[in-house]
Amino acid sequence: MIHSLFLINSAGDIFLEKHWKSVISRSVCDYFFEAQEKASTPENVPPVISTPHHYLINIYRDKIFFVSVIQTEVPPLFVIEFLHRVAEMFQDYFGECSEASIKDNVVIVYELLEEMLDNGFPLATESNILKELIKPPTVLRSVVNTITGSTNVGETLPTGQLSTVPWRRTGVKYTNNEAYFDVVEEIDAIIDKSGTTVIAEIQGVIDACVKLSGMPDLTLSFVNPRLMDDLSFHPCVRFKRWEAERVLSFIPPDGNFRLVSYHVNAQNLVAIPVYVKQNISFFESGFSGRLDITVEPKQTMGKIVEGVVVTVHMPKVVLSANLTPTQGTYNYDPVTKVLAWDIGKLNQQKPPNLKGSLSLQSGAPKPEENPSLNIDLKIQQLAISGLKVNRLDMFGEKYKPFKGVKYLTKAGKFQVRT
Amino acid sequence: MSSSSAFNDDKGGSSSIGEPEYGHDPASGGIFSSDYKRHDDLKEMLDSNKDSLKLEAMKRIVAMIARGKNASDLFPAVVKNVACKNIEVKKLVYVYLVRYAEEQQDLALLSISTFQRGLKDPNQLIRASALRVLSSIRVTIIVPIMMLAIREAASDMSPYVRKTAAHAIPKLYSLDPDQKDQLIEVIEKLLADKTTLVAGSVVMAFEEVCPERIDLIHKNYRKLCNLLIDVEEWGQVVIINMLTRYARTQFLNPNANESLLEEGTEKAFYGSDEDEGKEEKVEAAALVAKRKPYVMDPDHRLLLRNTKPLLQSRNAAVVMAVAQLYFHLAPKAEVGVIAKALVRLMRSHSEVQYVVLQNVATMSIKRRGMFEPYLKSFYIRSTDPTQIKVLKLEVLTNLANETNISTILREFQTYIKSMDKDFVAATIQAIGRCATSIGEVRDTCLNGLVQLLSNRDELVVAESVVVIKKLLQMQPERHSDIIKHMAKLTDNIQVPMARASILWLIGEYCEHIPKIAPDVLRKMAKSFTNEEDIVKLQVLNLAAKLYLTNSKQTKLLTQYVLNLAKYDQNYDIRDRARFIRQLIVPTDKSGALSKYAKKLFLALKPAPVLESPFKDRDHFQLGSLSHLLNAKAGGYQELPDWPEVAPDPSVRNVEVPEWTKCSSREKRKEKKVEKPFYSDSEGESGPTESADSDSDTGSGTGSGSEESGSESGSEESEGESESDKEEEEEKHKRKSKSRAKKSTQESEGSEPSSEDERKKPPKGKGPKAASDSESEEEEEEEESSSESSESESEGESESDTDTRMKQKTCASKPPPRQPKKETEMSLLDLDDFEPTPSPQVTPVNNFVSSSLVTDLEGLSLSDSALSPAAVSPASGPVKSYELLHRITGEGLSVSYCFSRQPFSHDPHMVSVQMQFTNNGDTEARNLRIQEPKLQSGMRIAEFPEIDVLPPGETVTMVMGIDFSDSTQAANFQLCTHTRKFFLTIQPPVGELMMPVFMTENEFKKEQGQLTGMNEITEKLTLGETCQGDAAIVQRVTSTASLSRVPCGSEMECRFAGKTVTSGSLVLVTIVTREQLVAQLTVNCEKMLIGTMLVKDILQALSQ
């Protein structure tokens, strides 16, 4: 399946290569560079590139291109999903997935890749299994290893590999047993010029951080489970139980993991937490434009909207901006043509406003299009859909765990058209 | 190598005891200059007896490999360490070995003995990794050793080692394809493996080595289906893709008979229960001449059912695999479930989006309806990458139809203002496609595009011109002013393609603009030499056409242009000029052709069809690389066409039931989950699916069902033997013709333990409904002497056992060679199922029979959906209402009734059966519905127009109305060729719902969630005639389209249904207190419906 993998940084250097079958010359990447050149942005590089003898399937993540070489038919999503899994594993092991961290830990990376694929077919992709085989680097461990001569590599088959719960290893022990759940919801919306909602959806995820000893069996129930319409589960969740009772029942993996992601029933109206009044206009004469944006809190359910950032991708002819914000700071980058206005907390009484003039390149025709605004925001302690966790029960272990649930609402792809 | 110093930091700690001079910048220098020396040092370290030094050296060597530096000269030094005690050193040596063994084959052989020893190690991890490395060393000489190792490992105790063996198979195969036969033996052995760990890997090996040996799958098919959910996600993808291909060769096309679609799919469920399908088909073919109902193979159903939960997987590849399986294999009516999951994937990474959108684009051409509800999810954000935007646009265009086109065009309008010009161009193309496919908006689109002609961006204008040209070709006469407008544009537009398009248009329609055309030619003649080739060709065309139509004015001009072209640099243009001259300019030599010049040049050209580039891409298996590239990738396995006749299904029967235990994970699940839910969900489909007979055994996953169906007596679990008993009992009962109630209790007594058995009764409802056609229930009971109308419980349990029995018989032997007695039995039973040959054929019979089918459909669906599924209407008299009296209708009378059938085209519609009778003496023509005036949210699916209704004739039509869960009337006009009638249909509240099948437990659970405002309770006094269970059931079911929920107590009757539009549950409970006093409780999310229903039921019961 997956023949080889090349990691390429944004400068176009191949800084890591790994082959699972016979070696393929790195010159195959030239086809990729060609495609990269054609594409205006890294996001526009086609994920699948066909070359005379191979197919290149690549993902772009954290400023690194993961380019895999395929020789025969394979579902493209299979490879794409796997590459993302690799990136996530790096993140998990090194705290970040970056060129520097990969280079720093090149041996571990190599060992990981060796374990994750055998002959190009995925072998172990569960973080828990891998962590037993190859221990994540810590300063303490490397010191200890140097002194004692012990290794980073497990000598026995990870327990998960054969167990029926491959995502959890046995013999987990904590002194403080705790289980935290973050319910994070994102509002994806398109608001049109007049302020009416073209489309609004809520996507949610429940991320968990579970540090419990032994083999706990958890049941998470909700006050209003029916809000969750379309779900995808971590493999640990018992599907039938959900179908029958609408409770999440699972033996959790150890550590951080995403329990479910869900989509809120489309029939429920989505509360849009902010209202944006905007007026951006360009004038033919004098090569200038005006900009006036006001952000008001709308349906916030009594919570404070914070972390508000408005980003505008200006047309190319906009040279500079001379604006006055009543709150927060703004920054216009004349190279990328991005105007970012960092507002912070929204004030109920005095809605923040950004106003001023834009200067355009002289001689150029006035832009016909108006840029759309991308809004970013956060609301703590609120799941905008109204989803509420009812309770968390634990079976199978005796101790009393510390439990916590946190809610957070964020703007996802929240766009205001002008 | 800017960060190469950082690179070494991780070893910083350990290298401090090593030689500090290596600490920095080891490999960044030229390989050729200083390398030799450094490599010497590495060799020294490797030769030392300190593990830490060895480790350090290996780490640096691996780092070199990772960066693609050559380290092959270290081979001898490294290979010595293959037997090193330190496991990390060993692993790194393995990494090195696998990388360079191919280049240094002789030296690599030194390591083989170590691996051979490792293969015998008691530690399974070491055995496995020894096999892994051994099989990864691409040295042909060791092929026999590898073969031996793989064989041995394939029967290893540890499943992990067996998995590794499966991985090794393709490696060996690629090294030496001659080993194929031997490898297939190993694959066959491993395919029989029952652990989930091995399943994915061995199927992978199968796909790489012998994908054509589909026969190896037969015996493992059911096992694979049942294990699927517990296989790791990557294996799932491979297995699902393989099974898709397998199913295409083994089963019949569920959508083969489009005309029979509605029934076909329903039948599918019906038939899905047993292999009896086949034999039934044979017999049915004799009985029902020429109508071959499609019957889905139970194994086909098993696959669909077991893959469905995987749509919820977090792994996009798995979801896509299931989606393509459903797209290629499922009956049309069921494919819809994948839309939601695919739309969900669009929120994933942009690469995932890209692939998913490609597939959605293909699917949306074939099955537009599937994605229509998700239209808005394809709206484009300015931040999407261009390639995603274009794909979304493609999907939006595919989804456009008369009803949503205005919304889509409004969206397109915003897109046109985008800064991304490539995207704008694509949008213009999309508008063009909408305009060609939807006639109503053609003018609007055209006007919009014409406005774009004044856009400042040339690309936009050019694209618009090209699209307008195509649109105008469809109806040029009406648009001469647009053509004129475009003629003016030649002065400004510079994009060659656009200029060429304009010139072509002018030439083609020069008769509409006789004054302007010659002038344009004049201008073009002036600039001819500076034009692009493509424009020049069109100038020539224009000249030729004008010469033919208006030679007076343009003769000289044409000659001039032809002369210019004669000396053009491009030979195409010279050729064209020569050709045109010969053709149009009459000379004495000019041949016969010139007579036809006008015909040649001014023939009517067919309007272009603007097609989606994704059309017909579905001949590639969706989700595959080949589909994405729209070209066959190496190793792609064609998706075979469905066979005409299904191959023998008995090949999948397994001799020895190996399903004695379910996989341990299933056990775990089972243990944790309270049984009822499992058995409920599985049991629901009990009689309809062979697979489910096993669910009785309590194995929560419905696994191994087939085996229980096969003759294996020994391993049968209780459930099966119980059902055997039951079966005999049943025979008994039939003889003694016991009364209804008694037998209910009896049968319940006979199957006391398992929850799901109790669930079965309602299933019997279907058969019953069919058997006694529209006879009412009371009658039915009295009539119990007749074979076809059995008492309720008997009907139930009988159908149950029938199916089982038949399944048994045909599982054990191929249908034709069935013992006679058995056949007779099933024939008798068939009568219950097959309404057509039954004696009481009535006009409504067809309906009811298909209702039976839907019954079963509901059941088998419900099993996988697990939600209470719709069960077909309970029997009962159908009330008919008058819609148009024959006096007001001038001879035409119309009556309607709510047939309580699911409306086939749209499950959210109530189907209304209308009967048109022509009592007049002239024929009525063109009966159709016009201008429905509907409340918001309501929709009407009109019946197809009736061409002629001769006097005295009666015609029945079915139309669908979505009342959107309100009792508001639907108003519309009925038109004949002479008159219009304003008509109104107002549904009784009871018709706004459809029955839902539920168990008592489910019912209570649902009821528990619908309390408070949603619960209405009323006391009532039962009417004189309304006493006893049966009467109440009859009254309620005739008032509202509900189905009865089985319940233990005699004092209670429960009914369940859901509203047709929104699917809100409607639960009705009637508790009889004393003689005539009862209490009615209605639980419904929709309070209004609840209240009205209470009123109606009260009235019905107190009469």
Side-chain angles (χ1 to χ4, degrees), chain B residues 716-731:
Chain B
E716 304 272 52
S717 33
E718 290 165 68
E720 179 61 29
S721 51
E722 207 171 283
S723 75
D724 282 0
K725 255 185 267 161
E726 197 185 318
E727 186 181 309
E728 256 152 65
E729 215 168 278
E730 221 44 67
K731 279 186 218 155

Side-chain angles (χ1 to χ4, degrees), chain A residues 17 26 48 60 73 85 104 114-115 118 155 164 203 217 231 240 243 366 369 372 415 417, chain B residues 6 10 66-67 91 132 171 233 312 347 351 382 411 417 456 625-626 628 634 664 672 682 865:
Chain A
E17 63 178 76
R26 55 166 67 188
V48 181
Y60 179 69
E73 169 66 47
R85 213 55 81 74
D104 285 350
E114 185 74 26
E115 282 306 327
D118 181 12
E155 295 198 26
T164 51
Q203 327 292 348
D217 194 334
L231 296 98
K240 301 232 162 175
E243 286 287 281
K366 83 170 178 116
E369 66 279 339
S372 46
Q415 197 157 83
R417 288 176 178 167
Chain B
D10 67 317
R67 273 171 302 148
K91 276 208 156 174
R132 255 185 86 182
K171 295 187 212 170
E233 41 200 352
Q312 243 78 45
R347 294 166 206 136
E351 296 89 6
S382 60
E411 246 330 89
K417 290 186 205 136
R456 212 173 293 112
L625 183 61
S626 304
L628 189 88
S664 39
K672 300 295 177 203
E682 301 294 333

